[in-house]
Amino acid sequence: MGDIIIAVRDFLEMGGQVLNIIAIVIFLMWMLILERLAYFQTEVKTLKLSIQSLWKNRKEKKSWESDAIREQMISEFNMSANQYLPIIKTLVALCPLLGLMGTVTGMIEVFDVMAVSGSGNARSMASGVSKATIPTMAGMVGALSGVFLVTILNQKVTSEIEDLEESLGSDH
């Protein structure tokens, strides 16, 4: 376990300060994704059954007012199901941008080394190159994993909303 912690610490140091920010963004993104996945496994079913029960127990279902109530129920369900998805999408989009920022800061370090000691100091330049490439890779990996799961979550939201709309029907 100690070796893993040392390896992670060394990796974060090689990537520079931007890599720490990317790690925080990816951590937040994954916590929100896991929360949404847990929500769809537990709470969404309860909420859907509650809405279906309210609609089923409603005596009058054919007026303009009942249509408005039905639409309100579906809208509230939609808002609940889509909660945090815009934040997750923003964090996904932020990952490659932060990776690019890491690339730029790493290359600035390379150019500083070249300005001071010339292009002959390969060891010093290697540190800047790793600070340029590691954050880029981390940002892209974080974004790719997030894009995949955001797609799954969007499909889940759409299917749950369609299922609720179908189960409530319009009774016209």
Side-chain angles (χ1 to χ4, degrees):
M1 183 66 172
D3 292 342
I4 294 173
I5 293 171
I6 292 170
V8 169
R9 187 196 69 211
D10 290 346
F11 179 75
L12 289 172
E13 286 176 6
M14 280 192 332
Q17 290 299 315
V18 176
L19 191 57
N20 294 329
I21 296 169
I22 293 171
I24 291 168
V25 167
I26 291 172
F27 178 77
L28 289 172
M29 178 185 74
W30 271 96
M31 288 298 102
L32 291 172
I33 288 171
L34 292 174
E35 185 278 333
R36 287 288 85 193
L37 291 172
Y39 172 82
F40 282 113
Q41 291 299 316
T42 58
E43 294 177 40
V44 78
K45 294 171 185 164
T46 306
L47 181 59
K48 193 189 311 183
L49 288 173
S50 171
I51 291 171
Q52 289 168 337
S53 174
L54 280 171
W55 184 253
K56 182 180 175 187
N57 293 333
R58 188 172 168 76
K59 289 183 171 80
E60 198 279 311
K61 298 178 184 173
K62 296 186 181 197
S63 69
W64 175 89
E65 181 184 359
S66 63
D67 280 346
I69 290 170
R70 177 184 174 274
E71 289 301 317
Q72 178 187 3
M73 291 172 156
I74 292 169
S75 179
E76 288 173 358
F77 181 81
N78 186 355
M79 287 175 54
S80 177
N82 277 302
Q83 188 177 10
Y84 303 128
L85 283 183
I87 296 170
I88 295 169
K89 290 176 184 178
T90 301
L91 293 173
V92 167
L94 197 56
C95 284
L97 296 175
L98 289 171
L100 182 60
M101 188 170 86
T103 300
V104 171
T105 56
M107 291 311 294
I108 289 171
E109 187 175 314
V110 170
F111 295 141
D112 282 345
V113 167
M114 288 174 65
V116 171
S117 63
S119 60
N121 193 345
R123 186 177 300 271
S124 295
M125 287 180 12
S127 168
V129 170
S130 71
K131 285 183 182 172
T133 55
I134 290 174
T136 306
M137 177 203 59
M140 294 306 290
V141 168
L144 287 173
S145 66
V147 164
F148 176 69
L149 282 153
V150 163
T151 303
I152 290 172
L153 288 172
N154 278 331
Q155 290 173 346
K156 187 71 174 160
V157 166
T158 302
S159 76
E160 291 290 345
I161 292 169
E162 287 174 356
D163 184 49
L164 179 65
E165 287 177 340
E166 188 178 306
S167 72
L168 297 184
S170 63
D171 288 349
H172 285 287

